[in-house]
Amino acid sequence: MTDAPRHSHAYLVGGGIASLAAAVFLIRDGGFPGEHVHVLEELSVAGGSMDGSGEPSGYVTRGGRMLEEEAYVCLWNLLETIPTLNDETVSVRAEIREFNAKWPTDARARLIGRGTTILDAADYGLDARDRLELTRLLVLPESVIGARRIVDLFSPHFFATNFWAMWRTTFAFQNWHSAVELKRYFLRFMQEFPRMHTLSGVRRTRLNQYDSIIRPVRAWLEARGVLFEHGVRVTDVDFSTDDDGTRRARRLHLDRGGQPGTCELTDDDYAFLTVGSMTADAALGGMDSAPELVRDKRDGGWRLWETLATKADDFGRPTAFNGDVDEAKWESFTLTMRSPLLLHRIEELSGNLPGTGALMTFKDSNWLMSIVVPHAPHFDGQPEDVYTLWGYGLFVDNDGDFIGKPMARATGREILTELLGHLGLLDIEDEIASTTTVIPVMMPYITSQFAPRTVHDRPLVVPRGAANFAFLGQYTEIPEDVVFTVEYSVRGAMHAVYGLLGLDHEIPGIYHALADPKAAFTVLKAALG
């Protein structure tokens, strides 16, 4: 490594956790002056998919990325050096550890059947053929699996098991998703096999992930002079290729509020480019309106990648992921309750206090609806007499069991009716509705990273010959790791920064439960039943 960072500048396209993590690593591990780091974000707020916003009249989170103790080594590495906003002597990592020690997850109502029957989720329901098919998936090389879908490798019985109902709703898998991604998930989260019915391996933040992670990371960066510029869309990047195959990013093409411009890069400058977005074109609804399903790629993240993909055959194929909205979309909703009535009824049903349960999935729901009640407060400044609940549905085009229309066309009020129906509380619907606000969110690309793919569809974090540019986010290729996780974004940021700067810092290894004899025994015992 040279003294280049003293006069180099780094331009990070996108303000999600991958870019923010890369900025931290540039400063913390690479010696970059903070004022030489530039974050260019199209939206008015940083954080990407890790969001949380609103006020007591109506809070909203589009989703919540699951955090996991053993597997999230890169994320914990990042957060060990980021202080909380309330106490600079306490790291975000320490706060998360302390919070989960106080409020451990132990779901007692992971699966709910018809008539609010709590199902025995500890009975996974796997038979000998299911286990054989699971084993076959685990031993098949990814090159052999190729672009096959999950449904191609399992028989109908597997998809009716309690195990699949819990696994798919924990991680948001559809039967038509990539079998390769499912294999990676099984290997990466095999330690969750024995505790799928309680989700006791899940780690939560004290507040929503935007308030607990994104805001502290941004504050740390701003305190070191990092420059955030919002309202900037990067539309293109110019590259050059030397005779020896070395490639460099030379120019960023920008759009600032409709005004085109460029940013020239010197030989010493770096560009970190986020490609694609799982929450691109997310649209909010309201109590009396259903959210719009946006299909025309208004968000710049996909358009930039589509432009870049035409420049080199190893820059990926975005159409493999954004080409079918109907296979990638689902819808979430956030309840803001100004009365504890619904919360108390859910506590009575589940046996869990807020913040101690996990996803409660209505297994027979036509929408495959799941909900979770977080510990309060879940938002910074949330009043003591205001409560929240988050939920989502995987089958948004099916008619609801109680409202008789698809979730995709349902208003917040109708989603509340459907939820109360599954909870057996329609008799007090008017009382609950009068003190509850429901904000639904349609996300057309939320599981697009699970789309069936080939080895050529995702670019490497640092492409061959790249001297000063790298790709970030959920649509890059990191062997053995799993997309749709915060860990993936942070690990990619590590690879990008350490690789381009030639740092000799060790990137934490990927955790595999089967390499731990004690964990492997527990896993095999649970899998064999």
Side-chain angles (χ1 to χ4, degrees):
M1 180 182 167
T2 68
D3 63 350
R6 289 189 296 178
H7 50 84
S8 296
H9 285 255
Y11 297 89
L12 297 112
V13 178
I17 187 62
S19 280
L20 299 184
V24 172
F25 299 144
L26 284 167
I27 297 169
R28 188 191 75 179
D29 303 329
F32 258 75
E35 61 270 20
H36 287 193
V37 179
H38 310 258
V39 179
L40 307 176
E41 169 58 49
E42 178 180 353
L43 302 177
S44 60
V45 63
S49 301
M50 297 178 70
D51 63 353
S53 61
E55 53 191 24
S57 60
Y59 292 106
V60 62
T61 52
R62 291 176 295 186
R65 308 285 78 77
M66 190 189 88
L67 307 183
E68 208 266 359
E69 182 65 31
E70 294 94 346
Y72 282 39
V73 289
C74 293
L75 177 65
W76 302 142
N77 176 285
L78 168 71
L79 299 182
E80 283 169 357
T81 52
I82 303 296
T84 62
L85 296 179
N86 297 328
D87 187 343
E88 63 180 15
T89 68
V90 177
S91 71
V92 172
R93 170 63 175 132
E95 180 186 68
I96 292 173
R97 185 182 289 114
E98 179 183 354
F99 179 78
N100 284 273
K102 185 176 181 180
W103 299 97
T105 299
D106 183 19
R108 301 177 184 177
R110 181 63 186 85
L111 294 176
I112 301 175
R114 295 196 182 278
T116 66
T117 301
I118 306 301
L119 303 180
D120 180 11
D123 178 5
Y124 290 2
L126 297 170
D127 63 15
R129 180 173 180 176
D130 297 327
R131 295 187 182 97
L132 181 63
E133 290 169 342
L134 278 168
T135 303
R136 180 181 62 173
L137 176 64
L138 292 176
V139 300
L140 279 177
E142 290 187 6
S143 59
V144 174
I145 299 173
R148 281 192 282 180
R149 298 167 180 253
I150 296 169
V151 71
D152 298 330
L153 295 177
F154 290 91
S155 53
H157 181 270
F158 174 78
F159 297 111
T161 63
N162 284 347
F163 173 82
W164 182 239
M166 291 186 288
W167 189 274
R168 75 178 311 176
T169 52
T170 299
F171 300 112
F173 273 107
Q174 300 279 23
N175 294 2
W176 55 79
H177 281 153
S178 165
V180 166
E181 295 302 338
L182 182 63
K183 173 184 176 175
R184 288 194 182 189
Y185 260 77
F186 281 157
L187 291 173
R188 196 76 163 86
F189 293 114
M190 195 165 282
Q191 64 276 12
E192 295 302 324
F193 270 56
R195 55 199 191 202
M196 279 302 298
H197 59 298
T198 65
L199 288 179
S200 58
V202 171
R203 296 296 178 264
R204 294 193 175 120
T205 51
R206 184 176 65 86
L207 300 173
N208 65 82
Q209 292 172 356
Y210 176 78
D211 285 328
S212 284
I213 295 178
I214 298 301
R215 288 178 59 209
V217 171
R218 177 165 184 158
W220 188 93
L221 293 172
E222 289 182 326
R224 284 151 183 80
V226 172
L227 303 172
F228 285 81
E229 188 173 356
H230 292 276
V232 179
R233 174 181 292 194
V234 178
T235 59
D236 198 357
V237 182
D238 294 336
F239 299 90
S240 67
T241 304
D242 296 340
D243 292 339
D244 63 357
T246 299
R247 296 188 284 185
R248 293 184 181 277
R250 292 296 186 184
R251 181 181 300 106
L252 306 181
H253 292 265
L254 313 174
D255 183 319
R256 290 185 172 93
Q259 297 299 315
T262 59
C263 175
E264 306 294 328
L265 305 181
T266 71
D267 285 350
D268 295 322
D269 293 338
Y270 297 88
F272 298 86
L273 313 170
T274 302
V275 291
S277 170
M278 70 174 81
T279 48
D281 294 325
L284 275 62
M287 282 297 282
D288 298 305
S289 62
E292 178 186 7
L293 175 59
V294 178
R295 295 179 179 271
D296 55 355
K297 300 189 187 75
R298 300 170 194 173
D299 184 281
W302 287 113
R303 292 183 181 275
L304 174 61
W305 189 14
E306 288 174 342
T307 300
L308 298 181
T310 65
K311 297 176 181 288
D313 59 7
D314 63 338
F315 283 5
R317 299 171 182 170
T319 54
F321 305 98
N322 65 18
D324 193 335
V325 165
D326 291 317
E327 289 201 349
K329 70 179 189 288
W330 49 252
E331 187 172 339
S332 70
F333 55 91
T334 306
L335 268 64
T336 302
M337 300 165 282
R338 293 168 293 279
S339 163
L341 176 58
L342 177 56
L343 210 63
H344 289 164
R345 293 297 185 93
I346 293 175
E347 288 176 21
E348 293 171 3
L349 172 65
S350 67
N352 282 113
L353 294 173
T356 67
L359 277 179
M360 298 167 56
T361 294
F362 301 99
K363 187 182 177 185
D364 298 316
S365 161
N366 281 348
W367 294 352
L368 195 55
M369 178 189 283
S370 299
I371 61 172
V372 62
V373 180
H375 181 269
H378 193 54
F379 295 84
D380 189 30
Q382 179 180 332
E384 291 185 359
D385 59 350
V386 173
Y387 316 90
T388 62
L389 174 154
W390 181 85
Y392 85 108
L394 271 177
F395 303 155
V396 299
D397 291 324
N398 290 350
D399 287 341
D401 297 277
F402 298 93
I403 67 167
K405 65 191 295 188
M407 186 179 192
R409 293 195 284 109
T411 65
R413 193 177 307 277
E414 290 168 330
I415 290 173
L416 180 61
T417 297
E418 189 74 11
L419 172 59
L420 295 179
H422 285 295
L423 290 170
L425 299 176
L426 286 175
D427 58 316
I428 56 172
E429 177 180 7
D430 290 343
E431 185 176 356
I432 291 175
S434 66
T435 57
T436 301
T437 300
V438 184
I439 301 179
V441 185
M442 174 63 76
M443 294 171 283
Y445 305 105
I446 189 60
T447 58
S448 57
Q449 61 273 28
F450 284 159
R453 59 175 178 81
T454 70
V455 295
H456 305 293
D457 292 333
R458 299 198 301 218
L460 294 175
V461 174
V462 181
R464 68 177 187 275
N468 74 332
F469 70 93
F471 295 119
L472 299 176
Q474 296 290 310
Y475 301 88
T476 60
E477 175 58 28
I478 304 174
E480 298 184 41
D481 211 350
V482 292
V483 293
F484 211 12
T485 64
V486 183
E487 176 72 6
Y488 200 85
S489 293
V490 177
R491 181 176 292 275
M494 270 191 176
H495 278 288
V497 173
Y498 295 0
L500 288 185
L501 271 60
L503 303 179
D504 60 2
H505 291 62
E506 182 180 357
I507 297 177
I510 292 177
Y511 176 82
H512 289 301
L514 291 183
D516 179 345
K518 183 178 179 180
F521 176 78
T522 305
V523 166
L524 291 174
K525 182 179 179 181
L528 294 176

